[in-house]
């Protein structure tokens, strides 16, 4: 072999050695991409099956509700019959609501106030009533404890028919009751102060 042939053989061998690892790396990267895509495909298929199961459950529930609605008797007629009203006894009025639910609620509050100067006030502070230094109330402390901020509430709910519901809510406390009420008592015979009411 001459030098030229040896040099060509070495160059070919070197080219094969350099080209082979690049090809192996490229094949490895392609294999990783394919594996990642397969995992993603499996995950998407699982999610699709879950969504299909949820959809089937929702359809079954919807069919049950529709069956109940179809089975419920109609309480109100859509209008007069095609041939006019027939003579005879009048139809019965719709039955009363099936159920009225009453919920009582509220809370008990134990509130107190302490003032360095005796203002002879209730829980709310009237800043115009702060005594001056020459007043006998200036050197007296003031402490009041009261439960008049306690609240009572009433929630009434009723079903007019299977499709309509009526509810009312009332809430009140004992703070603004009567002219002579103080932090110890609320005037009897006066209604509690309404704080919230809606229908």
């Amino acid at each position: 072999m001459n030098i030229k042939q040896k040099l060509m053989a070495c160059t070919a061998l070197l080219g094969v050695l350099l080209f082979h690892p690049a090809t192996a790396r490229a094949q490895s990267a392609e294999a990783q991409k394919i594996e990642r895509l397969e995992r993603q495909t499996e995950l998407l298929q699982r999610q699709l099956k879950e969504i299909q199961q949820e959809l089937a459950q929702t359809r079954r529930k919807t069919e049950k509700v529709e069956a109940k609605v179809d089975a419920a008797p109609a309480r109100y007629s859509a209008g007069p019959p095609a041939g006019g009203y027939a003579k005879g006894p009048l139809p019965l009025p719709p039955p009363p609501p099936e159920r009225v639910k009453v919920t009582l609620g509220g809370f008990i509050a134990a509130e107190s106030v302490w003032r360095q100067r005796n203002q002879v006030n209730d829980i709310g502070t009237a800043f115009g009533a702060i005594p001056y230094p020459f007043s006998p109330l200036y050197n007296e402390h003031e402490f009041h404890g009261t439960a008049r901020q306690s609240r009572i509430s009433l929630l009434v709910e009723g079903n007019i028919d299977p499709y309509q519901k009526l509810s009312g809510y009332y809430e009140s406390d004992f703070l603004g009751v009567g002219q002579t009420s103080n932090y110890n008592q609320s005037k009897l015979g006066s209604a509690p102060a309404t704080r919230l009411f809606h229908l």
Side-chain angles (χ1 to χ4, degrees):
M1 270 185 146
N2 62 17
I3 295 182
K4 195 174 190 183
Q5 288 177 346
K6 288 182 182 179
L7 187 58
M8 283 186 69
C10 287
T11 305
L13 185 59
L14 184 64
V16 168
L17 290 175
L18 291 176
F19 182 68
H20 181 63
T23 305
R25 278 193 298 257
Q27 289 175 351
S28 171
E30 289 294 323
Q32 289 176 353
K33 285 181 183 178
I34 291 171
E35 185 178 332
R36 188 171 49 241
L37 288 173
E38 287 176 350
R39 284 195 305 258
Q40 289 176 352
T41 304
E42 289 175 6
L43 179 65
L44 288 173
Q45 286 176 345
R46 273 184 273 157
Q47 289 175 348
L48 180 63
K49 285 181 183 178
E50 291 174 3
I51 290 172
Q52 287 174 342
Q53 290 172 351
E54 289 177 11
L55 182 62
Q57 289 176 354
T58 305
R59 284 182 182 158
R60 284 192 294 268
K61 289 179 183 178
T62 304
E63 289 172 357
K64 288 180 183 178
V65 170
E66 287 176 353
K68 285 182 182 179
V69 169
D70 291 342
R75 293 190 182 190
Y76 305 103
S77 62
Y85 287 108
K87 293 184 178 181
L90 293 174
L92 295 174
E98 296 176 3
R99 179 174 153 173
V100 174
K101 181 180 175 186
V102 177
T103 306
L104 296 174
F107 59 86
I108 296 175
E111 307 288 337
S112 65
V113 63
W114 180 87
R115 296 183 184 97
Q116 186 175 0
R117 312 282 182 233
N118 191 349
Q119 298 177 15
V120 192
N121 274 334
D122 199 356
I123 290 291
T125 300
F127 291 102
I130 297 174
Y132 291 106
F134 55 83
S135 171
L137 298 175
Y138 183 79
N139 293 320
E140 290 183 16
H141 300 298
E142 182 179 24
F143 175 80
H144 297 292
T146 182
R148 286 177 47 219
Q149 291 179 335
S150 299
R151 292 204 179 167
I152 56 172
S153 65
L154 176 71
L155 173 64
V156 179
E157 300 171 298
N159 295 326
I160 296 173
D161 59 35
Y163 309 105
Q164 298 178 13
K165 179 179 180 180
L166 182 67
S167 62
Y169 181 77
Y170 177 78
E171 182 177 292
S172 68
D173 63 22
F174 303 94
L175 275 177
V177 180
Q179 295 283 335
T180 60
S181 297
N182 59 30
Y183 55 88
N184 291 325
Q185 67 184 19
S186 293
K187 182 178 177 186
L188 295 176
S190 297
T194 299
R195 294 293 170 220
L196 179 65
F197 176 77
H198 67 82
L199 184 63

